[in-house]
Amino acid sequence: MRPANAHSRPDQQPEPEGPAAGGATLAAIARAAGVSAPTVSKVLNGRADVAPATRTRVEALLRQHGYRRRRSPAQQSRMIDLVFHELESSWAMEVIRGVENVAREEGLSLVLSESAGRLMPGQTWVDGVLARRPAGVILVLSDLDAAQRAQLTSRNIPFVVVDPAGDPGDDLPSVGTTNWQGGLAATRHLLELGHTRIGVIGGPARMMCSRARIDGYRSALEAAGVPVDPELVREGDFHHEAGHAAGMELLRLPDRPTAVFTGNDLQALGLYEAARELGLRIPEDLSVVGFDDLPLARWVGPPLTTVRQPLTEMAEAAARLVLDLGRGRRPAATRVDLATTLVVRNSTAARQG
Amino acid sequence: MRPANAHSRPDQQPEPEGPAAGGATLAAIARAAGVSAPTVSKVLNGRADVAPATRTRVEALLRQHGYRRRRSPAQQSRMIDLVFHELESSWAMEVIRGVENVAREEGLSLVLSESAGRLMPGQTWVDGVLARRPAGVILVLSDLDAAQRAQLTSRNIPFVVVDPAGDPGDDLPSVGTTNWQGGLAATRHLLELGHTRIGVIGGPARMMCSRARIDGYRSALEAAGVPVDPELVREGDFHHEAGHAAGMELLRLPDRPTAVFTGNDLQALGLYEAARELGLRIPEDLSVVGFDDLPLARWVGPPLTTVRQPLTEMAEAAARLVLDLGRGRRPAATRVDLATTLVVRNSTAARQG
């Protein structure tokens, strides 16, 4: 039996009695680990006062035995967790707004955190989630490793990834966008304007969304019978400065491109700057297509032709999906890509001469 | 005595026994209200299952009796609440980042919410805060009315306002910026470049930060012996479109301004667009100064001269202040304005001719 004080702290809820789906009881895990039941409970709740070796042993046993906490509404907090790879992202606000829309409808609090610059959120982040017991976790540009997935799953905390950077695997619920089609549409638009020397500045090679956009670019060229010139394919990092640096290189080539697809909007602005420095006018001397459709795309001069990522809608879809998973529903699709759309503004024009 | 089940829900913590600072006990409030002690506890915790008339009566008694919950570390959640007037704000991300920096240092979760477009957060928002019991609440461009302040104070939940829109009153802890000095510096810069026909496009008149910026503009002109021409003073709404509309009016005046201070960066971009449409070059034909120093200020063409609001630092200062207040410290200053700085880029130049 538990000591009387086990009920006096808000985070030591009595665990629902009886075997959970998956078979093992908390008591059985405790026996196998050679610790008390309250200690196993502490590990389940991400409490800090457990020796690291003990925690590791208990987590391994939870996983081995397929332990699943019984889903109990009283235990579920009224929160949804939104974790960013980095809050620097200029489109983070669109995602925040989408999740906040759903959180507000559902009367949930939105907890926001950053995985501090790493694609795999660190252990501290996961412990915080375990202690908060949110209704669900939405990760943006972050993946979870297998151990972290197991930790969340054993606590019945559902998770969804938005716009995965890596290849999330078939079983990870995710909401993305049609990056390949977006790259295709951007490049076709330029081909239709008569351009054939078309450059591309991608993002980091490890980001699958960037690879998909470049592949769309390639396919559009090949379908139009235009050979892909490796000199015109540049890797950036999705930040303004990379667009500027790669832009300077491309625009100083002897047979420079007359149009460039910049992989995202920030790199387009860097390219704008490079063009300005070299005395090239947009769109008269150079056509530019971005990707994202950040609010600033319509405020810059000239307003930027770009591929719109429906970020707010993606975030809303991810939030609804994670809440459905938490309610035990099995939606028809746990992997969804929302369509991009080409938004034509003033940075593209027919090739001159 | 409380029924046994009062301890089984995470949000029904036993209230600390004994009179709290301010004198009244929970039991005394209950007697005065003609309800049970658990009912008073529900009201304190923002629980929904209390009749509205009962809630109102209890809240009034809490206030009258100056009830203060005893500060108990076990009850304090590990959260900090950040409430925005609206998440549309393009500088919201800077503020979020600042609060997140401090939250991460302190091991607190950041809960983000929006007061849905009203300067006074609605009741739903306050109820959510009462239920969450955060370590503190930071409000951005929102004020609290007297009743809401009393509710938070009686639960010992400290609050700080960032960049107050109204006149927060001497006793409301707040962190602002030197708006008046910023308007002065922007206008002096233009005067030093030889401009005398200087326009200003402010924000909404009800926002004190906007009034302060315009007052700084006026003082700079008057100190330089340049009369203020009311035709050159326009009210906007701090959004891009207002900058465009007011810009078109100013630039089509017979004796148009040769320089404009736009009150914030988004209105500067609207003015950029108006200038483009009228065939005016920046800075050769028109000098422009913004306010905020959003990241996009350095990415637009030409890069925008502007007044930097140290938004991230303001947010960090507000977060540290609210946590200090929660720890019972009385800092020397509960009202702080961090200094603005003029950032000169490429949108301003000496007056031509």
Side-chain angles (χ1 to χ4, degrees):
Chain A
M1 296 312 292
R2 287 194 190 83
N5 67 359
H7 294 263
S8 64
R9 298 282 305 262
D11 55 358
Q12 281 195 8
Q13 290 306 305
E15 297 294 334
E17 296 298 306
T25 62
L26 187 139
I29 302 280
R31 277 192 302 272
V35 299
S36 68
T39 297
V40 177
S41 193
K42 284 186 191 179
V43 173
L44 277 168
N45 292 328
R47 289 275 303 278
D49 53 337
V50 177
T54 305
R55 185 193 303 276
T56 306
R57 190 162 78 248
V58 170
E59 288 281 8
L61 285 162
L62 287 169
R63 211 172 146 184
Q64 277 170 37
H65 289 255
Y67 178 83
R68 295 292 290 269
R69 165 178 277 154
R70 285 247 305 272
R71 202 178 289 117
S72 163
Q75 288 182 331
Q76 207 177 63
S77 84
R78 302 191 52 68
M79 301 176 190
I80 191 167
D81 244 273
L82 175 58
V83 183
F84 279 90
H85 166 49
E86 55 169 2
L87 281 173
E88 297 289 327
S89 166
S90 42
W91 48 254
M93 184 56 65
E94 315 290 309
V95 173
I96 289 171
R97 202 173 304 135
V99 179
E100 170 64 17
N101 288 343
V102 175
R104 201 169 43 242
E105 276 171 28
E106 300 278 340
L108 293 170
S109 305
L110 169 64
V111 177
L112 184 65
S113 52
E114 199 179 21
S115 63
R118 288 146 56 186
L119 276 183
M120 295 289 174
Q123 186 60 21
T124 311
W125 165 79
V126 175
D127 288 335
V129 172
L130 299 182
R132 283 194 288 276
R133 297 200 214 178
V137 181
I138 298 167
L139 297 103
V140 183
L141 276 190
S142 293
D143 287 332
L144 295 169
D145 65 31
Q148 289 162 339
R149 287 189 214 186
Q151 283 179 296
L152 292 177
T153 301
S154 70
R155 278 71 161 180
N156 269 326
I157 298 172
F159 47 86
V160 173
V161 181
V162 173
D163 200 20
D167 181 4
D170 289 332
D171 57 343
L172 188 70
S174 71
V175 179
T177 188
T178 58
N179 286 297
W180 183 87
Q181 280 92 332
L184 188 84
T187 311
R188 268 192 189 149
H189 170 64
L190 295 170
L191 288 162
E192 284 161 7
L193 290 169
H195 299 278
T196 52
R197 292 289 290 163
I198 301 174
V200 63
I201 307 171
R206 62 182 163 73
M207 294 183 75
M208 299 308 283
C209 57
S210 171
R211 287 181 177 270
R213 293 171 201 180
I214 295 175
D215 282 355
Y217 154 91
R218 288 178 190 281
S219 284
L221 290 178
E222 286 162 6
V226 176
V228 176
D229 179 353
E231 273 251 288
L232 298 182
V233 180
R234 303 288 165 142
E235 181 178 335
D237 66 1
F238 277 161
H239 291 291
H240 177 264
E241 182 44 43
H244 177 259
M248 291 299 279
E249 291 174 6
L250 285 171
L251 297 176
R252 288 200 278 215
L253 289 171
D255 187 11
R256 71 165 180 85
T258 60
V260 179
F261 167 45
T262 61
N264 82 341
D265 286 350
L266 287 190
Q267 293 189 147
L269 296 191
L271 178 64
Y272 267 37
E273 195 181 321
R276 263 197 301 273
E277 284 171 45
L278 295 172
L280 296 172
R281 298 157 305 163
I282 298 167
E284 295 86 349
D285 304 318
L286 176 71
S287 283
V288 180
V289 183
F291 197 110
D292 278 341
D293 199 21
L294 299 177
L296 60 84
R298 63 195 75 117
W299 300 330
V300 292
L304 180 67
T305 296
T306 186
V307 177
R308 179 169 179 268
Q309 277 210 74
L311 290 160
T312 303
E313 293 85 342
M314 285 160 67
E316 289 174 347
R320 294 199 174 95
L321 176 59
V322 84
L323 294 177
D324 275 352
L325 292 172
R327 295 175 183 123
R329 291 179 202 152
R330 288 290 162 256
T334 55
R335 299 212 46 184
V336 174
D337 280 350
L338 302 189
T340 52
T341 43
L342 179 70
V343 182
V344 178
R345 294 199 178 93
N346 306 78
S347 64
T348 50
R351 184 174 68 95
Q352 301 299 316
Chain B
M1 297 310 295
R2 287 196 189 81
N5 67 0
H7 294 264
S8 64
R9 300 281 305 262
D11 55 357
Q12 280 196 6
Q13 290 306 304
E15 298 295 335
E17 297 298 305
T25 63
L26 188 139
I29 302 279
R31 277 192 302 273
V35 300
S36 68
T39 296
V40 177
S41 194
K42 284 185 191 177
V43 173
L44 276 168
N45 291 328
R47 289 272 304 278
D49 52 338
V50 176
T54 305
R55 185 191 304 275
T56 306
R57 192 163 76 249
V58 170
E59 288 280 9
L61 285 162
L62 288 168
R63 212 171 146 186
Q64 278 169 36
H65 288 258
Y67 178 83
R68 295 290 292 267
R69 165 178 278 156
R70 288 249 303 272
R71 203 178 288 117
S72 164
Q75 288 182 332
Q76 208 177 62
S77 84
R78 300 189 51 71
M79 298 175 193
I80 191 167
D81 244 273
L82 175 58
V83 183
F84 278 90
H85 167 50
E86 55 170 4
L87 281 173
E88 297 290 327
S89 165
S90 41
W91 48 255
M93 185 55 65
E94 314 290 309
V95 173
I96 289 170
R97 203 174 304 135
V99 178
E100 170 65 14
N101 288 343
V102 175
R104 202 171 40 244
E105 276 172 28
E106 300 279 339
L108 294 170
S109 305
L110 169 63
V111 177
L112 185 65
S113 53
E114 198 178 24
S115 63
R118 288 147 55 185
L119 276 182
M120 296 289 175
Q123 185 59 22
T124 311
W125 164 79
V126 175
D127 288 335
V129 173
L130 299 183
R132 283 194 286 277
R133 297 199 215 178
V137 181
I138 298 167
L139 298 103
V140 183
L141 276 190
S142 293
D143 288 335
L144 296 169
D145 64 30
Q148 289 161 337
R149 287 189 214 186
Q151 281 179 296
L152 292 176
T153 301
S154 69
R155 277 71 161 181
N156 269 325
I157 298 173
F159 47 87
V160 173
V161 181
V162 173
D163 200 18
D167 182 4
D170 289 333
D171 59 342
L172 188 70
S174 71
V175 178
T177 188
T178 57
N179 286 297
W180 182 85
Q181 281 91 332
L184 188 84
T187 311
R188 268 191 188 152
H189 170 65
L190 295 169
L191 288 161
E192 284 161 7
L193 290 169
H195 299 279
T196 51
R197 292 287 292 162
I198 301 173
V200 64
I201 307 172
R206 63 182 162 75
M207 294 183 74
M208 299 307 283
C209 57
S210 171
R211 287 181 177 268
R213 294 172 201 178
I214 295 175
D215 283 353
Y217 154 91
R218 288 178 191 279
S219 286
L221 290 177
E222 286 161 9
V226 176
V228 176
D229 179 352
E231 272 251 289
L232 298 182
V233 180
R234 302 290 165 139
E235 180 178 335
D237 66 2
F238 277 160
H239 291 292
H240 177 264
E241 182 44 42
H244 177 259
M248 292 299 279
E249 290 174 7
L250 284 171
L251 297 175
R252 288 199 279 215
L253 289 171
D255 188 12
R256 72 168 180 82
T258 59
V260 179
F261 167 44
T262 60
N264 81 340
D265 286 350
L266 288 189
Q267 294 191 146
L269 296 191
L271 178 63
Y272 267 37
E273 194 181 322
R276 264 197 301 273
E277 283 170 44
L278 296 172
L280 296 171
R281 298 159 305 163
I282 298 167
E284 296 85 348
D285 304 316
L286 176 71
S287 282
V288 180
V289 183
F291 197 110
D292 278 340
D293 198 21
L294 299 177
L296 60 85
R298 64 195 73 118
W299 301 328
V300 292
L304 180 67
T305 296
T306 187
V307 177
R308 179 170 179 267
Q309 276 209 76
L311 290 160
T312 303
E313 292 85 343
M314 286 160 67
E316 289 175 348
R320 294 200 174 94
L321 176 58
V322 83
L323 294 176
D324 275 352
L325 292 173
R327 295 175 182 121
R329 291 179 203 154
R330 289 289 162 258
T334 55
R335 301 214 46 189
V336 174
D337 279 350
L338 302 189
T340 51
T341 43
L342 179 70
V343 182
V344 179
R345 294 198 179 93
N346 307 79
S347 63
T348 50
R351 183 173 68 96
Q352 301 298 317

